[in-house]
Amino acid sequence: MLFSVLSGFIYTILSPAINKLPSKIIGWVFSIPPLGIFIYFLTFYKNISNGQVVRETYSWVSGLGVDLSFYLDGLSLIFVLIISFAGFAVFLYAGSYLKGNSYLTRFYIYLLVFMASMLGLVLSDNLITLFIFWELTSISSYLLIGFYHSKEKSRKSALQALLVTGGGGLALMAGLILLGIISESWSVSGLKELNEVILAHKYYPAAVILILIGAFTKSAQFPFHFWLPNAMEAPAPVSAYLHSATMVKAGIYLMARLNPALGGNWLWNDMLLLFGAVTMISAALMAFRQTDLKKLLAYSTLSVLGTLTMLLGIGSDLAIKAFIIFLIAHSLYKGTLFMIAGIIDHKTGTRNIDKLGGLYRIMPVTALIASAASLSKMGIIPLIGFIGKETVYASALEFTRFGYLFIALAIMANIFIVYITLATGFKPFWGNFKETPKKPFEAPFGMYFGPLILALGGFILGIFAPVMVGNLINNSEIGIIAANLNIPVKLWHGFNLELLLSFLTVLSGAALYFSRKKLIKIVSKLEAPSFLKPSVWYEHLLQRTIDFAGYQSRVIQNGHLGIYLFVILTATFITVYYFAAENITLQLPEYISMPPFYELIPGLLIVGSSIMAVKSATRITSIVSVGIVGLSVAMIFILYSAPDLAITQFSIETLTVVLFVLVLYKLPKNVPLSGKSRRSRDMLISVAGGAAISIITLLIISNPIDPELKKYFSENSFPLGKGQNIVNVILVDFRALDTLGEITVLAVAAIGVAALLRKNREKEGVI
């Protein structure tokens, strides 16, 4: 499984070579990884359907309990198959849709990284690695949504998606850490055995709220829903893959996976129930006035995501079954419809449903595929969408805790879903032909093959549901409620109340569609106050953050080096004084002996040179005085038997003085720019700094450092580092990364200086 997860990252290395192939086959070549992953995981189908699980663990950061652990059960297998199968269709589709785009290879790299991240997320059996893959999906989706980076709307939408889901990711990280602390386990699959321990812990409410914030932002639950419709600025392949089949399902997966560990408490169940129901109905209502194909589909996606969350909140055996079937059905038909919307936009030049009609005469294949997906979305037999909708109604009817409120909400939401389906899947193709900005023609095979296989998948799974997905669904429920329900999956349950409600839903949705123009005139007069719109609050918060950042920059980054040093040194000294006063008692030496005269000489030179550096009227004199201070310190190193440090000090001081002289000798005469008050302040800071260093020295003398490290270095410098100079061995071997970092900084600085000098010489015409 590790190779399957990493294959997407590995395949990106081949992208430059693939880009040199004929454009007609690039999409087919890039579709190899998702197809191979789909076939590979299909080999696990039989064993997983029989209740087995597969585990793989690779040591990673073992000291922190972070391993590359992977866990394949029914729930994760369903998500893996959706990710890889939909990925195969989208990769094929993208090659034709973006044909001729100069950034096509870059697009596929982003898509491969996203697919690999999603696979890692749903297969991870470690909380920390799950979070890492979670964040990788946010980053790669940001790049995909903003793929048309020359458009301001694309950049804004990508940033909005990143900020919302990234902010939720921070909350999720805190929640997962709390969960690990509560359970004392980082294993995702092992959490279901610790449900009682987790529920009884005082951190449980905080962990639940933080985890749900992360899940709600990713799956676009109210009030974080607004980023998803705005993300429709992305290319159609991105919308089909991220915003229908995969990314938005990441939050749904997380809630389902953690349900056995966190469920069984009103806080978890009622929050899922409440926010899921609100998202389901509000998204359906908000879609009513939309005319953009992709935004209509986006709002219907929001409604379905709310339905899935609500089903998890209901938590009954039938609701969990409905959750899984509806999840599969939605991924298939919605991915198809997003790609159909892309074809329509690509071939006609518009996505406005009021400007589309009669395209079936010109685009018969596309119309047929759209009709098949739309019938599944409406819940028409024999497609899998029919099974999903009937099971949702059955579970809502069974849930009578709030009366029949939730079945009423589910019916209302599905009425609007039928309306959206008629507007997106049928209206563009049927009725009178309308002139479009571009002369339409049928999509090429490479463009409609992807949506075709997804639509066929919905048809085949609907007819053969008991055989193809029955056992897998039953064993997937173990990952959600830690129990095997063995509820049969049937296409036909006979004439019952659910069938009647489904029939009435379709009729009501059709009636709503045909009376759309009259209703829109009424609804258009209704407008929610701006303070009730989460998107307005987002924009307000973003603007206030930018304003605060500007104010902070003006105050702190004011361009005065003296102010920067003042703030840094003052904060440092206060910290030293506070630490010394609160934690440690200084122990002064019992007596102070007079040092030999040869030790007094460098000390007197240091004091005298320091005074000279401050009082000097010229820069050169100040630089030379500072150099004498450094050389006097080197003399002290020699007196205390540290010749290597002395040599280093001599080299640094000599180089520093030379560089200062070369740079500063052309500057004008040093004139006093500060008054007595500022000089008095600087003197106080200097005295405070000297006192702080003295306190630190006395602290070290009073509280000797543990000699274990010193002992280790002295014993191992020669055997391990092959050097007798302990300091050199520490710098080169034991602290090699520190030294490498310092060298890198110096190298970057040197390159920068060289570039500036070269640029200056070019301006002067020297080069």
Side-chain angles (χ1 to χ4, degrees), residues 60 369 438 469 512 586 607 660 739:
W60 191 19
I369 297 170
K438 292 168 61 176
V469 296
L512 184 66
L586 295 179
V607 174
F660 269 126
T739 305

Side-chain angles (χ1 to χ4, degrees), residues 51-307:
Q52 299 181 25
V53 297
V54 180
R55 301 174 187 269
E56 283 185 14
T57 302
Y58 303 90
S59 180
W60 191 19
V61 190
S62 56
L64 298 177
V66 181
D67 296 320
L68 284 173
S69 301
F70 300 103
Y71 179 81
L72 184 67
D73 63 351
L75 179 62
S76 53
L77 180 60
I78 285 177
F79 274 89
V80 167
L81 294 179
I82 289 173
I83 293 166
S84 55
F85 185 64
F88 173 62
V90 169
F91 274 62
L92 288 177
Y93 174 79
S96 181
Y97 183 86
L98 294 172
K99 183 179 179 181
N101 190 296
S102 56
Y103 297 114
L104 180 59
T105 303
R106 180 188 298 179
F107 177 83
Y108 273 120
I109 290 174
Y110 296 161
L111 211 58
L112 284 166
V113 171
F114 174 79
M115 180 190 71
S117 303
M118 278 298 304
L119 289 171
L121 193 157
V122 301
L123 289 170
S124 289
D125 193 31
N126 184 281
L127 291 174
I128 303 302
T129 54
L130 184 149
F131 174 74
I132 291 172
F133 285 116
W134 178 281
E135 289 299 281
L136 284 173
T137 63
S138 295
I139 295 170
S140 53
S141 66
Y142 164 75
L143 297 172
L144 287 165
I145 295 170
F147 179 70
Y148 294 137
H149 54 271
S150 59
K151 297 180 180 179
E152 183 181 356
K153 285 186 177 180
S154 295
R155 298 195 302 271
K156 184 177 180 180
S157 298
L159 180 62
Q160 186 180 76
L162 180 66
L163 291 176
V164 174
T165 59
L170 294 175
L172 176 65
M173 179 179 67
L176 293 178
I177 291 173
L178 279 179
L179 186 57
I181 293 172
I182 293 169
S183 63
E184 298 182 353
S185 171
W186 298 104
S187 171
V188 178
S189 60
L191 292 174
K192 62 185 177 183
E193 308 295 337
L194 302 170
N195 177 254
E196 294 181 1
V197 175
I198 295 171
L199 294 183
H201 202 279
K202 64 180 180 179
Y203 292 158
Y204 171 78
V208 166
I209 293 172
L210 290 169
I211 289 171
L212 287 183
I213 289 174
F216 286 173
T217 54
K218 185 75 83 173
S219 59
Q221 298 297 299
F222 181 89
F224 308 108
H225 62 281
F226 54 88
W227 72 263
L228 182 58
N230 292 334
M232 294 304 106
E233 294 296 328
V238 176
S239 301
Y241 197 34
L242 276 65
H243 306 138
S244 64
T246 53
M247 176 186 168
V248 290
K249 300 286 176 48
I252 301 296
Y253 168 80
L254 183 70
M255 290 184 284
R257 176 61 75 190
L258 295 181
N259 187 65
L262 300 175
N265 182 281
W266 68 268
L267 180 62
W268 173 267
N269 292 89
D270 287 358
M271 286 187 72
L272 295 182
L273 197 63
L274 173 63
F275 283 92
V278 171
T279 304
M280 175 183 70
I281 193 65
S282 62
L285 292 171
M286 285 187 286
F288 186 68
R289 291 190 296 179
Q290 298 294 325
T291 58
D292 184 277
L293 274 172
K294 287 180 69 176
K295 286 202 171 183
L296 277 165
L297 293 172
Y299 279 110
S300 66
T301 297
L302 283 174
S303 184
V304 171
L305 293 171
T307 303

Side-chain angles (χ1 to χ4, degrees), residues 378-380 389 415 418 422 501-511:
M378 292 167 62
I380 305 299
K389 188 168 71 172
I415 288 173
V418 172
L422 292 171
L501 291 176
S502 181
F503 179 71
L504 292 175
T505 299
V506 175
L507 287 181
S508 301

Side-chain angles (χ1 to χ4, degrees), residues 307-635:
T307 303
L308 293 171
T309 303
M310 184 188 74
L311 291 170
L312 286 173
I314 292 174
S316 65
D317 297 351
L318 200 55
I320 299 305
K321 176 188 173 185
F323 167 86
I324 300 172
I325 299 174
F326 206 45
L327 173 79
I328 298 171
H330 175 262
S331 298
L332 294 172
Y333 68 67
K334 190 57 65 67
T336 302
L337 290 174
F338 265 118
M339 286 190 273
I340 293 297
I343 291 174
I344 294 173
D345 184 28
H346 197 276
K347 300 304 177 185
T348 65
T350 181
R351 298 200 308 246
N352 191 326
I353 59 172
D354 291 334
K355 298 179 181 180
L356 295 167
L359 292 176
Y360 78 94
R361 301 180 183 91
I362 303 169
M363 306 169 68
V365 177
T366 305
L368 179 63
I369 297 170
S371 299
S374 299
L375 291 173
S376 180
K377 183 178 177 182
M378 292 167 62
I380 305 299
I381 197 169
L383 294 115
I384 192 171
F386 169 78
I387 305 175
K389 188 168 71 172
E390 290 242 314
T391 317
V392 169
Y393 281 173
S395 62
L397 284 169
E398 183 184 67
F399 186 67
T400 57
R401 181 176 155 199
F402 296 93
Y404 291 103
L405 173 63
F406 285 93
I407 184 62
L409 292 175
I411 292 172
M412 186 184 301
N414 274 289
I415 288 173
F416 280 94
I417 292 296
V418 172
Y419 158 77
I420 294 170
T421 307
L422 292 171
T424 57
F426 290 101
K427 185 182 184 303
F429 299 101
W430 307 100
N432 297 324
F433 178 77
K434 295 183 179 181
E435 294 292 334
T436 56
K438 292 168 61 176
K439 185 178 180 181
F441 57 92
E442 182 60 272
F445 176 75
M447 194 175 290
Y448 69 69
F449 181 70
L452 174 63
I453 60 176
L454 289 182
L456 284 174
F459 179 75
I460 294 170
L461 289 182
I463 295 177
F464 301 104
V467 178
M468 299 190 70
V469 296
N471 288 337
L472 182 60
I473 289 175
N474 287 332
N475 284 285
S476 299
E477 293 156 349
I478 300 176
I480 303 176
I481 57 175
N484 193 323
L485 304 178
N486 289 320
I487 299 176
V489 177
K490 295 181 180 180
L491 176 62
W492 178 251
H493 291 85
F495 293 95
N496 51 24
L497 181 57
E498 293 86 359
L499 181 64
L500 176 62
L501 291 176
S502 181
F503 179 71
L504 292 175
T505 299
V506 175
L507 287 181
S508 301
L512 184 66
Y513 171 76
F514 288 110
S515 58
R516 169 177 170 265
K517 292 183 179 180
K518 295 180 180 179
L519 291 174
I520 283 182
K521 291 181 180 179
I522 300 173
V523 175
S524 61
K525 299 177 182 179
L526 304 175
E527 185 69 29
S530 59
F531 69 87
L532 292 178
K533 298 179 179 179
S535 58
V536 174
W537 283 97
Y538 163 81
E539 295 292 345
H540 179 77
L541 179 62
L542 180 61
Q543 189 58 49
R544 296 292 78 77
T545 302
I546 294 173
D547 293 343
F548 176 74
Y551 170 77
Q552 178 179 291
S553 298
R554 288 192 299 273
V555 173
I556 298 177
Q557 301 294 329
N558 47 40
H560 297 287
L561 181 60
I563 300 296
Y564 299 162
L565 292 174
F566 170 76
V567 173
I568 294 170
L569 294 175
T570 302
T572 303
F573 300 156
I574 290 174
T575 303
V576 171
Y577 294 142
Y578 176 80
F579 180 77
E582 292 290 326
N583 298 282
I584 298 177
T585 302
L586 295 179
Q587 297 178 1
L588 297 176
E590 295 181 0
Y591 63 92
I592 301 177
S593 60
M594 191 68 174
F597 74 94
Y598 55 82
E599 292 183 6
L600 289 175
I601 294 175
L604 293 173
L605 284 174
I606 291 172
V607 174
S609 300
S610 300
I611 296 173
M612 180 63 71
V614 173
K615 299 293 290 182
S616 175
T618 64
R619 292 187 178 89
I620 298 297
T621 306
S622 297
I623 293 169
V624 172
S625 300
V626 171
I628 293 173
V629 171
L631 295 175
S632 300
V633 172
M635 290 173 62

